[in-house]
Each structure stands twice: as structure tokens, then as C-alpha cells.
Amino acid sequence: EEARLGFAPTYKYDADTDIYDTSEKRRAPAWCDRVLYRGALGRTCEQVSYRRAELRSSDHKPVSATYTVRTKQIVPERKQAVLRDIIETLAKYENEARPECLLSQSQWALGAVYFGVEQRCTLTLRNNGPGAAKFRFVARPGADGPCADWLRVTPLRAFVAPNTECSIELRVLIDGKTATKLNMSESEAERQLDEILVLHLDHGVDFFVSVSGAYQASSFGCTLDYLARRPTPLRVATPVSNTDDSLLVPKELWLLVDRLRRDGLHDPTLFQQSGDAGQVSLIREWLDTSDDFVNVSADVSVHSIAEALVRFLGALAEPVVPTEHYFEALDCALSAERCRVLLQYVPPVHYRTFHYIMALLRARVNFRQTTGGDVAARQAAARLAALFGPVLVRNSKRTHPDTEAVRRASLFVAQFIKPDGVEATALALADEQLDE
């Protein structure tokens, strides 16, 4: 904008005179020199003067303007007071939105923890605040994850609506994947289970949950070599002997197989009927603690003994056919000769264990052949190969083998338990089992 002009045109003059242009062009006088402003005249800006200067130093007459302008001025004291009010208001809103949660317990004492026996505990997180609460379990400094590999937490993260609760399940299970290091530790302190869970509330406090227990060492989850060098039950304090004093096969394996040979081979449903879960747990406990397993287990079902045997073999830290030979074993499963050659390269205790188990299975197949004929023998061999193949020939680094790998593992075992006098290949045995 511009104020009203109140002076004569400022251009064009003859130099150093007050006479408008007298040159050949004779330009018309004009207001070529202006002062513009931007603002609300009379409110933020008020013009005091607007004039031209009568100078002769140019062909222009310079102009000037004077204004009174209203500007903002910061008063430090008042600014600080306003900032304090803003901060207090925001803090009030933040506090009102902060999660107000309570966790039902901060520790879980497990007591004695046994191989394969799961323990569970349920925590309750209640949100008493007006807003939704979001939580997640985070790793402690230096930890690889939010919890140890023997502990499972469900869920690891969730939202909790206002005035509601969320149940958090904790599960502790020592299995073949986690037992090896604990079982082969020589001190009680190394078998202690200690974990601290950190439950983090977004925009809130952290809750800490202590989980502790005492793991009871077990033969389930050890290596064959380690067990062969332990002449007494695992929980009986006995030094590990050297290789020269090792047993031919682990005593636990001998005790189970011996009982099956004495009392189970003639049972028509051996290895077809599940054992009692309670009895299987007792069998494992007796193997780990008792020097008189034969007598204390006398009244236990042979089906529970059979299931304990399969579980024992499946829990070995290193399979009977070691993992390093796994793929080669699958590859040679169609050839009995190649299977026998492969076994020449496994460690001695693995070699003896494999053939010790095969002797039991062959005895079972021969019994079925004697009592039921060739068809019964083939069916028994196929069934046993399907049961023991994936247990004896497995990859300890892979949890779920594919169907073809399971089939070939069964074929590998079938090569050693074919019925006497029956002209049937191991492949036919496994195919019959798959058809069943």
C-alpha cells in the first residue's frame, strides 16, 4: 500500500536542475520514486510523513516516508509464566494418560524341575487407568532374547483395554534341546534355573518377574558317550570314568531293553500301544536315581517301558546314527550293504547301541514270524522301522524332517530287521507301513 501522494512528480529532471526533461525525448513527468508499506494503516502502522527531497544530484528527486509502527515486545517474566502454564497442562494430560497397571506376582519359584515335565504359571496384568496400555517383554542387557530357551512366555506383547485384565502364561519345559548342557554339568549350581523377565509398559514403568528352580539331572537328553562313562545313575554322585572304563552301551539302555526282552517280546501289542504317562515319568526317575531298577520297575507295564525306550532314544543329544552321517544314511537307505558300511564309521558306542537295538527289534520280528507267519513278520518289521527309523536316524539340528526323509530313515532301519526267510526288500517293508 501507499499513502496519498502530496508532492510533485520526481522524474525526469535535467541533471543538476529543477527543470523537467528538455531533451529531445521530453519525457512526461512521473512519480517514479515511491515508498510502499504493508500493514493495517491506523492499527499496526501509522504514517507520519511522505515527502520528496529537493536535491539536484540526480535526474530523480528522492522521496522519504516516516511511520509509527506497533511491534511485539517479549517480556521474559511473562514468557516464563506462560511456559510454566503450558508445561503444567501437558504434564497433567500425560499423567492422566499414563498406564496404571498392576501385575499379580513378581516371582515364580519352580522348586524341582524334571526332564519332560512341563510347569505352568499364569500372571495377570490389570489396567486400572483411563487409557489403553501396551506392554512387551524385552531382553535384559546382555541377553539374546526376552527369556531363556527353557522358558516360554505367551503373549510376548499385547494391548490391555482400560479396566480390563490380560493373562500371561509362563511355561517351563526342559526337553532334548535344552537338557544336554544342564545334564552334563558336574555341579548343582550349574543346574540352577534363574531368569528375570522384564515386562515393559509403553510410557509406563517396567515390571520384573523372577523365575527360579532346581533342575534334576536326567539321562534323557545326554550323549551316549557321556552315559557310557557313568556306571551309576546320573543323580548318584560318581565321577565320570575315562574312555577305557566305559560301558559297552549305556546302563539305562540295557535296563530298558533287558526288561523288554524278558517280559515284552511275547506281548502281541508291544510297540503298538502307548504307555502310561505317569509310569513313563517314574521309569525315567528310577533310571536317574535307583540302583535297583529291576525290582522297583517290576510292576510297570511293558508298554510304558517301550515308550520310555523310544523317548530315551529320541532325547539323545546326538542321535544313534550321528548327525554328521544323517544325509549319507538317507542316501544309502535302499542298499543294505551301504548301510552296514556306513555304520563302520560311527563312534564305537553308537555302533554298539545301534546293533543292540536292532537285536531287540529282530527278536520281536522273529517272534511274530513264529507265531503269525510271514505276513505278521512283515507287518511287525514295517511298524518297527517306521517307529524307530526317525528316532535313530535324525538330524539333531532340524526339528521337523520332511516326509521323504522320514521314509528313508525307516528304510535304513528296515535293512537290519527284515524277517528271516522272507523275500521282501526294505523298500517293500516301508511301503507297506506307509499304506497302513
Side-chain angles (χ1 to χ4, degrees):
E1 297 182 28
E2 184 181 22
R4 187 177 62 84
L5 293 173
F7 48 83
T10 59
Y11 181 82
K12 175 180 191 302
Y13 288 89
D14 291 337
D16 299 326
T17 69
D18 293 324
I19 301 171
Y20 288 110
D21 186 18
T22 59
S23 66
E24 294 181 357
K25 294 183 179 181
R26 292 188 178 274
R27 295 178 178 85
W31 285 271
C32 294
D33 305 279
R34 320 285 277 271
V35 177
L36 307 179
Y37 67 90
R38 182 178 181 182
L41 190 62
R43 288 187 297 169
T44 60
C45 182
E46 183 177 347
Q47 188 167 9
V48 176
S49 67
Y50 190 22
R51 61 189 179 84
R52 78 176 204 172
E54 300 302 329
L55 299 177
R56 297 177 177 177
S57 58
S58 171
D59 56 0
H60 288 261
K61 297 294 184 182
V63 300
S64 63
T66 305
Y67 300 89
T68 299
V69 180
R70 184 180 297 110
T71 64
K72 292 181 179 179
Q73 181 179 5
I74 297 177
V75 181
E77 295 79 5
R78 293 185 61 187
K79 177 182 178 181
Q80 291 301 320
V82 172
L83 287 175
R84 281 196 300 270
D85 290 342
I86 294 174
I87 292 172
E88 290 174 1
T89 302
L90 291 176
K92 178 182 177 181
Y93 291 150
E94 183 178 350
N95 289 333
E96 290 177 350
R98 186 183 298 274
E100 297 177 13
C101 295
L102 294 176
L103 191 62
S104 58
Q105 64 188 81
S106 60
Q107 60 180 5
W108 180 20
L110 298 165
V113 180
Y114 297 92
F115 179 93
V117 179
E118 185 177 71
Q119 296 193 44
R120 299 190 179 200
C121 175
T122 300
L123 308 179
T124 301
L125 182 68
R126 178 167 183 79
N127 181 10
N128 295 320
K134 179 182 178 182
F135 76 85
R136 55 195 170 94
F137 285 89
V138 299
R140 294 180 290 106
D144 295 330
C147 60
D149 52 5
W150 46 264
L151 177 61
R152 292 290 180 269
V153 180
T154 308
L156 283 173
R157 59 181 66 215
F159 283 94
V160 187
N163 298 313
T164 62
E165 297 178 347
C166 177
S167 295
I168 304 169
E169 185 179 61
L170 308 183
R171 294 184 296 167
V172 170
L173 176 64
I174 306 297
D175 56 16
K177 301 175 185 176
T178 56
T180 304
K181 183 178 179 180
L182 294 169
N183 284 334
M184 298 170 67
S185 299
E186 295 300 327
S187 68
E188 294 293 333
E190 294 176 336
R191 288 194 286 269
Q192 291 298 310
L193 305 178
D194 289 297
E195 181 63 292
I196 296 179
L197 299 174
V198 182
L199 189 156
H200 173 73
L201 276 179
D202 284 5
H203 309 296
V205 299
D206 288 345
F207 293 97
F208 300 92
V209 181
S210 171
V211 181
S212 60
Y215 175 66
Q216 308 301 301
S218 174
S219 54
F220 285 58
C222 290
T223 64
L224 289 171
D225 178 69
Y226 182 79
L227 293 175
R229 291 186 288 118
R230 294 294 298 252
T232 60
L234 205 62
R235 250 178 274 161
V236 176
T238 304
V240 178
S241 63
N242 58 42
T243 306
D244 295 336
D245 298 330
S246 295
L247 303 172
L248 294 178
V249 295
K251 62 194 172 302
E252 294 83 4
L253 177 65
W254 182 87
L255 290 169
L256 294 173
V257 171
D258 180 67
R259 171 67 192 282
L260 291 176
R261 278 184 172 278
R262 287 186 291 106
D263 303 324
L265 288 182
H266 304 313
D267 190 300
T269 59
L270 183 67
F271 293 118
Q272 295 177 243
Q273 181 176 327
S274 299
D276 179 79
Q279 289 187 356
V280 173
S281 295
L282 282 175
I283 291 168
R284 186 196 62 247
E285 188 67 9
W286 289 332
L287 289 173
D288 296 335
T289 60
S290 177
D291 287 320
D292 192 21
F293 177 84
V294 174
N295 290 325
V296 297
S297 64
D299 296 330
V300 172
S301 163
V302 291
H303 301 295
S304 297
I305 295 287
E307 183 165 336
L309 172 63
V310 175
R311 291 192 183 187
F312 170 80
L313 296 171
L316 287 171
E318 184 64 32
V320 176
V321 176
T323 297
E324 65 176 302
H325 299 291
Y326 173 72
F327 292 104
E328 187 179 357
L330 299 185
D331 185 59
C332 69
L334 298 177
S335 168
E337 181 60 28
R338 290 181 62 194
C339 291
R340 289 181 172 83
V341 170
L342 171 65
L343 290 177
Q344 301 296 322
Y345 296 95
V346 304
V349 68
H350 287 253
Y351 179 89
R352 292 191 294 267
T353 297
F354 182 87
H355 283 292
Y356 189 57
I357 297 168
M358 292 302 102
L360 172 68
L361 301 187
R362 281 196 302 272
R364 172 65 179 173
V365 171
N366 292 338
F367 170 77
R368 292 296 294 148
Q369 186 174 31
T370 301
T371 59
D374 292 346
V375 173
R378 285 199 300 270
Q379 291 176 345
R383 193 175 294 114
L384 293 172
L387 176 62
F388 282 86
V391 174
L392 301 177
V393 184
R394 57 186 168 87
N395 187 344
S396 61
K397 299 176 183 178
R398 294 176 59 185
T399 306
H400 302 292
D402 56 42
T403 303
E404 179 62 17
V406 172
R407 175 177 173 273
R408 284 184 168 267
S410 301
L411 286 172
F412 187 94
V413 171
Q415 297 287 4
F416 297 88
I417 61 173
K418 291 185 294 185
D420 292 338
V422 175
E423 297 298 330
T425 65
L427 179 59
L429 288 172
D431 284 343
E432 287 176 12
Q433 186 276 328
L434 292 175
D435 290 338
E436 290 177 1

